[in-house]
Amino acid sequence: MLLEGIETLLVLAEEGTMSRTGSRLYISQSAVSKRIAKLEATLGTKLIIPAGRLIKLTPDAHALIKNVGPSFNEIRGLIFEHQNLDDQSIITLDCSETLVAGYLANALGTYFQKDKYISITTHHTPVIVENVQSGKASIGFCAGHLPAQYSFVAEYLMDEPFKLVFNQPLTALPKAIVVNDLKNPSNISQAAVLQKLGITPLMEMDSYTASAQLALAGMAPALVPQSIVKTLSIDDKYCFEFAELAELTRPIYLIYRQNSYKQPRVKNLVETIANLFA
């Protein structure tokens, strides 16, 4: 029950409301409330304070999450490793949305015909990392820089290039462009390069698809990865490359727990994806 309460608190800290927490954990809102109340009673301290529709965490809750969160995820991951996957167990593949659309869609469509017990979820890299470490996902397919310390295997696949997309000819580097969230680990290294080149981030989007579509509509040039160019079938005449932007790449990784890889179905899926980049 203690682990159940801690898991609920960790999800509540991310989601901010009882209802969203319940949806993510597949339990009712009242069940979320009861779990938190039991955890508070066990620890003898207040962990949450109502703040309108949202829930505010107390200092004790923040301290608990900071001290226990990483260890809890590791324990959950270790428990996950000891689960045997039979032929009908669900294998969860947690992916970057742009990567799964640009590189995996066709291959996974074929793969699904021989193994229908595959579930694909999409998140940003930090969540993918957390999900693999905690065992929520068997395999992660992500882009960008990984944390300095992690407890999984990270298989490097490639450095994905970026291109400038615009509906008008670009003969020189533009002064302002549309980019994606520069605080995202996938893009965080881009900020320094753009600053060095004197390029202003005109807007920071959360969707490369939206960035590309705005560029194709003539709003402003957009910096988008190769996977989006492939997914949207953007014509070469709208894609531009400059030597100064060559370092704006992002590493792509397959990540998985070592013991999970010993499961034949997990190993087969990992190798299938890796072979696409061989």
Side-chain angles (χ1 to χ4, degrees):
M1 294 299 292
L2 182 61
L3 291 179
E4 190 177 72
I6 291 173
E7 178 187 32
T8 304
L9 180 65
L10 292 174
V11 175
L12 181 59
E14 294 176 0
E15 298 295 341
T17 71
M18 293 283 191
S19 59
R20 289 202 297 263
T21 299
S23 296
R24 184 162 152 187
L25 293 174
Y26 300 101
I27 59 176
S28 66
Q29 184 172 332
S30 62
V32 172
S33 181
K34 288 178 181 177
R35 286 186 181 185
I36 295 298
K38 288 180 180 178
L39 182 60
E40 289 178 328
T42 300
L43 299 178
T45 187
K46 194 69 176 172
L47 296 174
I48 63 172
I49 301 171
R53 292 182 60 252
L54 300 177
I55 295 296
K56 181 179 179 181
L57 301 182
T58 66
D60 284 342
H62 284 294
L64 180 64
I65 291 170
K66 180 180 178 181
N67 293 326
V68 176
S71 299
F72 175 82
N73 283 332
E74 182 60 24
I75 291 171
R76 187 163 51 186
L78 290 171
I79 293 172
F80 168 79
E81 286 182 351
H82 287 83
Q83 295 177 347
N84 289 319
L85 296 176
D86 59 34
D87 290 343
Q88 296 185 357
S89 297
I90 298 296
I91 294 177
T92 300
L93 172 62
D94 202 6
C95 306
S96 157
E97 181 182 2
T98 58
L99 296 184
V100 70
Y103 297 114
L104 298 190
N106 291 334
L108 289 179
T110 301
Y111 192 90
F112 192 71
Q113 300 308 308
K114 61 180 180 180
D115 189 345
K116 295 186 180 298
Y117 297 95
I118 304 294
S119 175
I120 301 171
T121 55
T122 57
H123 292 103
H124 291 313
T125 295
V127 178
I128 295 173
V129 167
E130 178 185 323
N131 287 345
V132 171
Q133 289 190 140
S134 67
K136 291 181 181 178
S138 304
I139 305 168
F141 182 48
C142 57
H145 298 286
L146 300 176
Q149 296 182 337
Y150 49 82
S151 57
F152 49 76
V153 176
E155 186 172 341
Y156 166 81
L157 299 178
M158 66 175 287
D159 282 323
E160 183 179 37
F162 280 73
K163 296 185 179 182
L164 283 176
V165 172
F166 200 37
N167 71 344
Q168 302 169 32
L170 291 177
T171 56
L173 281 175
K175 296 296 184 182
I177 62 174
V178 177
V179 298
N180 265 47
D181 183 7
L182 295 178
K183 296 182 289 296
N184 186 308
S186 297
N187 314 316
I188 197 167
S189 61
Q190 295 177 358
V193 176
L194 295 177
Q195 184 178 27
K196 180 178 65 177
L197 295 172
I199 299 175
T200 302
L202 185 62
M203 289 179 280
E204 293 188 37
M205 307 291 290
D206 193 48
S207 165
Y208 280 118
T209 298
S211 298
Q213 296 289 18
L214 289 173
L216 293 172
M219 176 169 283
L223 187 68
V224 301
Q226 175 178 278
S227 49
I228 284 294
V229 173
K230 292 180 61 176
T231 300
L232 299 180
S233 300
I234 300 175
D235 195 292
D236 287 344
K237 66 182 180 182
Y238 300 126
C239 299
F240 305 91
E241 299 180 37
F242 294 91
E244 297 92 331
L245 300 179
E247 62 183 300
L248 290 180
T249 61
R250 60 178 186 171
I252 296 177
Y253 294 97
L254 263 177
I255 62 175
Y256 47 88
R257 298 181 70 91
Q258 183 65 59
N259 284 344
S260 298
Y261 186 73
K262 296 176 182 178
Q263 302 276 359
R265 290 177 58 223
V266 173
K267 180 179 180 181
N268 191 41
L269 182 54
V270 166
E271 291 180 347
T272 297
I273 297 173
N275 287 339
L276 297 174
F277 298 85

